[in-house]
Amino acid sequence: MNVRAFVPLGKHLPKEFLEVVLELHYLVSDHGIENTPVEPQTREEWLAYFARVHDGWKEAQRRIAVLLKERLVRRSEAQADEAEQRRLRSKEGQTAAKRRLQAIGVEMLVLRRTLDVILWTIFAGEHSTLRRLFVQGGQHNLSAKNIDDAMPAAEFFNRDPQVMVVCTDILSIVHVGDLLIANRGTGELVFSELKTGEKNLAITAAAEFAIRSGCERFEKLATAGYDKADQKHYERVKRQSQRNETILNTIRDEGGTDPSTGAQVFIHPTEEPSEFWTDTITACYQQLNDTKQWAIGVIDECLYLGVYSSQKMAFIGFQAWMDREKCESPIHNLTDSFFDPGTRPLGATLLPRELREKILRGDILVVMCLDIAKMIELANRIQPGYMSLATKKESSRMRQERAMGDFTLRGLLIKTNEGGGVSMFLGGGFRDRILFDQHRPAQLIAQNMRSSVAFHDKVIALHAATSGTGAPPRESSGTSQNGGG
């Protein structure tokens, strides 16, 4: 039983901290909109609007940087206390220290995910782009020193009203570069590394040029005078530059190699506007009053939604509903997004400000369940034979090849029939778009089907280029803008 799905996050945060978080959410989500009473029409009006949006973002980043540094200090103190209590063999003291550490960790997550709203807005919520920016282990870069190094540089660039510079170590998902520089005036988007010291700058410049030029002769000449320490530093910077260049090329070229997994990535843009079910959440919320503590809805016959003003009603009522429906899929809370950097943050959803604030406070619970069995039925009504559960053998093999996440039913992965003997396995990104982006399942499935044709053509072309034949491989997998993960 997933008890966390029915826990109101805001009720477990310190009251003063929660009020600060609400202010921060206003700055990253609503400041620019509420200070622009009329929708911009001309370029000058749009630039003025962007400047107001940036004002809110910049102030939020300043506050979050300070709050994170304070919690980093508190975390170190709690870790030292835990070690001391362990030395004293005090189980009670260890338990208290661990609870403090857990509470501090949650607060840091909430702060970082609040700043993530800026990132999701800059990239227009494109999962296919955002997932390329995640590097395994990069989330451990957060430190007071990194914040102190990055914030002055960010503030320098942020003097320009049309520029928004985000310190990437403070974010929960981006682990490319030290600064993300977005210029609304020119449309430029750049990831920048912070380097100090003459030698460090020279080594970095040499490594970056070697990557861009691919010139081995230049590299030999540039590194000829390096000692062992310089050579080691050069190789480390070169690997970092190569990873950054690979990620950016994949984004620009709508395909490439994922540096974290080595998997071949195909990004298929869609032309049609996305259809969201966010208004169903709002409609359910509007039904609530002093006597009615719940409202439910079903989206595309496979997605169950419950909006509650009573935690007890949510816990009992929603689970009873899923039991009646014989649904075996996991139940999620909309605030689960605070614990998963790969999902759209609450502040970047299309929900009205009043409802978002009540969800943050824990006064309103939004509970969801994507019934995988019924989702498969829906897909096969749209296109017979398109979607099915993988076998145990197929699921086991795919898990050995790469991390597939927990988007499964009875431990089995979901696969699609791409045609020509090619199968794809859906990752958690598909589920996350439905639950946290509130993208309608039927449209997402249909888009995935259309992208399958483009994916299959690219697989054949890639195989032909490497083997000289147009025959596709027997089985393949990949990621796409419309599914993947």
Side-chain angles (χ1 to χ4, degrees):
M1 184 180 296
N2 182 7
V3 177
R4 195 178 85 172
F6 304 97
V7 174
L9 175 63
K11 300 295 186 185
H12 295 269
L13 296 174
K15 186 176 180 180
E16 290 185 2
F17 176 73
L18 179 58
E19 294 305 317
V20 170
V21 170
L22 288 166
E23 291 176 10
L24 293 170
H25 266 255
Y26 168 76
L27 289 171
V28 297
S29 303
D30 304 290
H31 179 273
I33 295 172
E34 294 196 1
N35 285 281
T36 308
V38 179
E39 183 176 347
Q41 300 295 326
T42 66
R43 173 178 168 79
E44 289 71 25
E45 290 174 346
W46 276 108
L47 292 178
Y49 166 69
F50 292 142
R52 285 188 285 272
V53 170
H54 290 169
D55 286 343
W57 289 359
K58 292 167 187 177
E59 179 59 23
Q61 179 168 243
R62 292 185 195 106
R63 295 189 193 182
I64 289 172
V66 172
L67 292 165
L68 283 173
K69 285 173 61 179
E70 291 172 356
R71 278 148 186 80
L72 285 166
V73 171
R74 285 168 44 195
R75 187 176 70 178
S76 295
E77 293 171 348
Q79 288 169 337
D81 182 45
E82 183 190 15
E84 176 64 13
Q85 297 301 323
R86 189 164 55 248
R87 186 186 69 80
L88 296 172
R89 298 184 179 179
S90 169
K91 290 186 178 180
E92 186 177 331
Q94 287 183 61
T95 300
K98 286 178 180 178
R99 284 176 179 168
R100 285 199 302 276
L101 277 171
Q102 186 179 38
I104 293 166
V106 170
E107 290 183 16
M108 292 174 69
L109 269 176
V110 169
L111 290 170
R112 298 179 82 178
R113 290 295 284 152
T114 300
L115 195 68
D116 283 352
V117 173
I118 299 174
L119 178 76
W120 281 76
T121 306
I122 289 173
F123 284 100
E126 281 294 347
H127 286 249
S128 54
T129 298
L130 291 161
R131 286 177 183 275
R132 305 284 77 77
L133 305 179
F134 178 83
V135 178
Q136 204 67 37
Q139 62 268 37
H140 304 303
N141 290 337
L142 181 65
S143 69
K145 181 182 182 304
N146 286 352
I147 294 173
D148 286 338
D149 287 345
M151 279 302 293
E155 292 289 3
F156 174 81
F157 290 110
N158 279 339
R159 294 180 301 176
D160 186 333
Q162 295 307 316
V163 171
M164 179 64 212
V165 176
V166 188
C167 302
T168 59
D169 285 339
I170 306 179
L171 297 164
S172 70
I173 187 171
V174 174
H175 309 131
V176 179
D178 299 306
L179 301 174
L180 167 61
I181 306 173
N183 189 321
R184 287 287 190 176
T186 63
E188 291 178 300
L189 195 64
V190 177
F191 288 97
S192 176
E193 304 281 352
L194 286 173
K195 303 297 179 185
T196 58
E198 187 175 340
K199 179 182 282 190
N200 198 359
L201 289 170
I203 290 175
T204 301
E208 290 179 346
F209 184 80
I211 293 297
R212 289 195 304 272
S213 66
C215 179
E216 293 182 9
R217 179 175 173 78
F218 165 81
E219 188 170 43
K220 288 180 181 179
L221 291 171
T223 61
Y226 288 175
D227 57 23
K228 287 185 178 180
D230 290 345
Q231 186 65 41
K232 186 176 180 180
H233 180 51
Y234 173 83
E235 293 298 334
R236 183 171 62 251
V237 172
K238 183 182 175 184
R239 285 195 301 272
Q240 187 180 52
S241 298
Q242 180 66 69
R243 184 196 71 198
N244 293 355
E245 190 69 15
T246 298
I247 291 169
L248 292 174
N249 284 339
T250 299
I251 294 170
R252 284 193 295 261
D253 300 339
E254 297 187 352
T257 303
D258 189 310
S260 298
T261 66
Q264 192 68 27
V265 176
F266 299 109
I267 300 173
H268 310 299
T270 58
E271 302 298 330
E272 64 183 354
S274 297
E275 297 174 6
F276 299 101
W277 55 270
T278 312
D279 56 347
T280 308
I281 301 178
T282 306
C284 286
Y285 163 67
Q286 290 171 343
Q287 295 178 41
L288 305 185
N289 53 46
D290 292 340
T291 57
K292 183 174 174 58
Q293 298 179 315
W294 61 274
I296 60 175
V298 182
I299 297 93
D300 293 343
E301 304 174 60
C302 64
L303 175 61
Y304 300 109
L305 166 71
V307 180
Y308 301 86
S309 58
S310 162
Q311 183 183 8
K312 182 178 179 180
M313 183 66 72
F315 184 74
I316 297 172
F318 198 87
Q319 291 193 119
W321 185 21
M322 294 302 96
D323 288 342
R324 288 196 303 273
E325 295 292 333
K326 296 181 172 54
C327 177
E328 302 176 70
S329 301
I331 299 169
H332 298 268
N333 189 315
L334 188 56
T335 55
D336 286 348
S337 62
F338 281 102
F339 302 93
D340 187 346
T343 60
R344 181 185 291 267
L346 178 63
T349 64
L350 299 175
L351 293 169
R353 179 186 173 190
E354 173 192 325
L355 179 51
R356 278 189 279 109
E357 288 189 349
K358 288 190 176 182
I359 293 170
L360 269 171
R361 289 186 184 278
D363 296 333
I364 295 294
L365 284 169
V366 177
V367 187
M368 311 164 291
C369 182
L370 175 62
D371 189 325
I372 294 173
K374 290 188 176 179
M375 181 193 75
I376 292 173
E377 290 177 8
L378 172 64
N380 291 332
R381 284 199 299 274
I382 298 172
Q383 181 176 312
Y386 178 72
M387 191 177 291
S388 63
L389 288 176
T391 64
K392 287 185 178 180
K393 184 177 180 180
E394 289 171 329
S395 299
S396 176
R397 185 174 70 248
M398 280 305 300
R399 287 194 182 95
Q400 289 174 5
E401 291 182 11
R402 68 193 62 166
M404 291 299 297
D406 59 351
F407 189 34
T408 61
L409 180 61
R410 297 187 291 275
L412 303 176
L413 296 169
I414 302 103
K415 71 174 185 177
T416 60
N417 177 9
E418 306 298 302
V422 178
S423 295
M424 279 187 66
F425 294 81
L426 297 181
F430 192 90
R431 172 202 58 211
D432 295 343
R433 287 171 187 251
I434 293 173
L435 296 178
F436 300 103
D437 286 24
Q438 287 109 49
H439 197 147
R440 293 193 73 96
Q443 188 192 40
L444 197 58
I445 290 168
Q447 287 179 349
N448 213 63
M449 290 172 178
R450 287 192 291 273
S451 72
S452 297
V453 177
F455 169 77
H456 190 237
D457 290 346
K458 285 188 176 182
V459 169
I460 292 174
L462 179 66
H463 189 72
T466 55
S467 65
T469 175
R474 181 172 180 272
E475 184 170 75
S476 179
S477 64
T479 60
S480 76
Q481 180 179 336
N482 305 318

